[in-house]
Amino acid sequence: MHLFSAMFLLVMLAGMPSEALYPSPEEGWQIYSSAQDADGKCICTVVAPAQNMCNRDPRSRQLRQLMEKVQNISQSMEVLDLRTYRDLQYVRNTESLMKVVDGKLKVASENPRSLNPKGFQELKDKVNQLLPLLPVLEQYKADAKMILRLREEVRNLSLVLMAIQEEMGAYDYEELRQRVLLLETRLHSCMQKLGCGKLTGVSNPITVRASGSRFGSWMTDTMIPSSDNRVWSMDGYFKGRRVLEYRTMGDFMKGQNFVQHLLPHPWAGTGHVVYNGSLYYNKYQSNIIIKYHFRSRSVLVQRSLSGAGYNNTFPYSWGGSSDIDLMADENGLWAVYTTIPNAGNIVISRLEPQSLEVLQTWDTGFPKRSAGESFMICGTLYVTNSHLAGAKIYFAYYTNTSSYEYTDIPFHNQYSHISMMDYNPRERVLYTWNNGHQVLYNVTLFQVIKTSGD
């Protein structure tokens, strides 16, 4: 199993006031986040419509009623417990007084002449002090009746639960297995829908490993769907040719079980990407993009990215021959670069993965030298304003509308020098190389998903 796909947890928030964070629940399922916690569990926060299939299930209604009864009983028991504790303390405090009164009454009964007016008044005063015990005893009687009622309700709950248990026990193993498979299918379908949305937040960093030099890149296959769990690491940005391939993320973390690929042409920068089993990278001292197939260990195609600057003509703010940045998202393969006619502003081109032909191009108007790094999510380019500490995601360009906006999405640049930042749509995480550390960030995406009325 992949390190970061251990479990899916859906948090259903039906009935939450929509004004707080979300659009109206009547619009459909509303996905607020798709992220992973520190244990590697995928957490998807969902606001469900007020009316859904679960609400119409009679067993679900039964269980809700049972839960309400249990809650009521629990509250009643808490009240009883507090009240009993309070009354018991009162009885204990009056115990000495009761002993005094008892002693005086014994003396008076044995020798009535000893009870003079003064003694009689003292005894009367003591008895008056005991009068508050009467309502306490009355409350005890009422509480005893309540305990009988609660005991009857618990007995009824037990009978209902036994009936539900017998009903659930009527399902055989095969039927339950089929139900689990159906739920898994629906869950994976939901997760695919969760793949796209607007970036609203970035998690704290998760340091996977510390290895290599200050600059480099590491990645897993970005193709959807894919069962390929290999991890690739490329240390450095200048004339490198050695690519390390690890079998799994666990092997990468331990630095074991890897093979080496020696590329036929050296690379420039750190803007490499693995897509559908092939490495796409920028050839050193050129604007040529190379597609290298790992299994055949051969170059399948190479093509010049027309007009693209190279060799530190238009790099990111940290330099490092980062003129051409290749990346992939839910919509396919992209190249981020700039040209002299574009006056050094970031250009986005969508590429055909087989031929590397440019399918469409956008001019973002954002100066590339002012960007620390950039990455694509769902056809939107997100740009950071620095590669150093204090960096944030500052700019977003939407290719579907050819529009942009300035953003303010902070993230913790733990090791203060990011030389690679790429989104992986399979895992919905950001891969970064930060000053010799390989780091992951979970992302929070927001999107409203329409339902089909089921």
Side-chain angles (χ1 to χ4, degrees):
M1 180 180 290
H2 193 279
L3 180 66
F4 298 103
S5 55
M7 181 188 295
F8 299 118
L9 172 63
L10 291 179
V11 182
M12 313 306 291
L13 302 176
M16 174 178 283
S18 58
E19 307 83 41
L21 276 175
Y22 310 103
S24 171
E26 285 75 20
E27 294 177 12
W29 292 84
Q30 295 152 63
I31 312 306
Y32 186 66
S33 72
S34 172
Q36 291 154 345
D37 64 12
D39 297 324
K41 299 175 182 177
C42 181
I43 303 176
C44 309
T45 304
V46 179
V47 181
Q51 299 296 324
N52 54 50
M53 293 181 66
C54 294
N55 289 337
R56 296 194 293 268
D57 189 335
R59 283 175 300 181
S60 175
R61 187 166 57 252
Q62 269 187 306
L63 288 174
R64 284 199 302 274
Q65 292 172 350
L66 286 175
M67 289 176 66
E68 290 173 2
K69 287 185 178 180
V70 169
Q71 186 176 10
N72 291 336
I73 291 175
S74 299
Q75 291 174 349
S76 299
M77 295 298 289
E78 287 178 5
V79 171
L80 279 173
D81 183 63
L82 290 173
R83 196 158 57 209
T84 302
Y85 177 79
R86 180 199 63 195
D87 294 343
L88 184 60
Q89 290 297 112
Y90 184 83
V91 171
R92 285 175 176 172
N93 292 336
T94 57
E95 184 178 2
S96 58
L97 180 60
M98 293 175 68
K99 289 180 179 179
V100 170
V101 171
D102 182 66
K104 287 183 178 293
L105 286 173
K106 284 182 179 180
V107 171
S109 63
E110 292 172 358
N111 186 9
R113 294 181 179 276
S114 65
L115 191 63
N116 55 38
K118 181 180 179 182
F120 177 80
Q121 186 60 43
E122 289 178 355
L123 180 60
K124 185 178 178 181
D125 292 339
K126 298 293 184 183
V127 170
N128 287 336
Q129 292 179 36
L130 290 174
L131 287 178
L133 275 177
L134 293 177
V136 172
L137 295 175
E138 288 297 322
Q139 186 63 60
Y140 266 82
K141 289 166 62 177
D143 288 348
K145 292 180 180 179
M146 180 179 288
I147 289 173
L148 290 174
R149 181 173 60 81
L150 291 176
R151 186 171 64 181
E152 183 65 21
E153 287 189 21
V154 169
R155 190 181 70 84
N156 292 336
L157 283 175
S158 299
L159 293 174
V160 175
L161 287 172
M162 286 176 62
I164 293 177
Q165 185 178 18
E166 289 176 1
E167 182 182 356
M168 297 302 293
Y171 297 110
D172 60 19
Y173 171 78
E174 183 60 27
E175 182 178 356
L176 289 175
R177 192 180 72 84
Q178 291 300 324
R179 288 190 174 199
V180 170
L181 291 175
L182 177 61
L183 286 172
E184 286 182 349
T185 301
R186 293 176 63 185
L187 179 58
H188 283 291
S189 175
C190 175
M191 291 301 296
Q192 290 304 316
K193 292 179 182 179
L194 284 172
C196 267
K198 183 177 180 179
L199 181 66
T200 59
V202 177
S203 75
N204 286 325
I206 303 168
T207 301
V208 176
R209 187 183 176 191
S211 67
S213 65
R214 191 177 191 186
F215 312 96
S217 62
W218 71 296
M219 65 216 81
T220 56
D221 201 318
T222 54
M223 180 70 176
I224 301 176
S226 174
S227 58
D228 194 339
N229 292 325
R230 290 176 293 172
V231 180
W232 292 272
S233 175
M234 302 168 68
D235 190 14
Y237 69 87
F238 182 72
K239 296 177 67 174
R241 293 179 60 194
R242 191 172 73 121
V243 182
L244 300 183
E245 175 188 302
Y246 297 83
R247 287 191 313 170
T248 65
M249 183 68 74
D251 288 334
F252 174 74
M253 294 173 69
K254 297 173 184 176
Q256 65 185 22
N257 295 327
F258 64 86
V259 296
Q260 177 178 289
H261 297 267
L262 194 62
L263 300 177
H265 307 285
W267 71 70
T270 59
H272 328 300
V273 65
V274 175
Y275 186 78
N276 197 21
S278 292
L279 172 69
Y280 296 79
Y281 71 97
N282 176 210
K283 183 180 178 181
Y284 174 64
Q285 286 193 332
S286 76
N287 58 12
I288 293 174
I289 299 173
I290 292 178
K291 178 183 179 181
Y292 174 84
H293 189 246
F294 282 116
R295 296 207 184 277
S296 65
R297 294 179 178 262
S298 62
V299 172
L300 299 184
V301 65
Q302 54 183 312
R303 192 183 191 110
S304 174
L305 190 58
S306 181
Y310 61 93
N311 199 26
N312 275 327
T313 303
F314 298 112
Y316 288 123
S317 60
W318 62 275
S321 299
S322 56
D323 303 77
I324 298 174
D325 193 357
L326 302 169
M327 55 191 72
D329 70 352
E330 293 82 357
N331 296 337
L333 187 65
W334 304 84
V336 171
Y337 58 101
T338 191
T339 67
I340 292 177
N342 289 100
N345 292 329
I346 291 178
V347 174
I348 307 170
S349 288
R350 192 159 66 89
L351 305 180
E352 203 291 311
Q354 303 302 321
S355 65
L356 297 180
E357 177 186 356
V358 173
L359 301 176
Q360 192 174 354
T361 297
W362 296 261
D363 183 352
T364 67
F366 191 91
K368 192 165 186 288
R369 286 184 176 272
S370 297
E373 273 290 339
S374 68
F375 54 90
M376 296 288 294
I377 299 180
C378 302
T380 299
L381 181 73
Y382 295 94
V383 182
T384 69
N385 63 346
S386 174
H387 62 283
L388 301 173
K392 62 182 178 180
I393 298 167
Y394 178 73
F395 179 84
Y397 187 89
Y398 306 97
T399 59
N400 61 335
T401 59
S402 298
S403 61
Y404 69 90
E405 68 173 338
Y406 288 93
T407 60
D408 187 8
I409 304 175
F411 65 95
H412 181 37
N413 187 349
Q414 186 171 4
Y415 304 106
S416 304
H417 197 288
I418 293 177
S419 60
M420 168 260 179
M421 185 177 232
D422 271 332
Y423 171 70
N424 187 302
R426 280 177 58 204
E427 302 159 4
R428 300 181 183 89
V429 296
L430 293 174
Y431 279 70
T432 65
W433 189 290
N434 195 338
N435 215 355
H437 297 79
Q438 292 71 54
V439 180
L440 293 174
Y441 293 89
N442 293 315
V443 298
T444 300
L445 307 178
F446 178 78
Q447 183 191 21
V448 175
I449 296 178
K450 302 292 184 179
T451 54
S452 56
D454 54 346

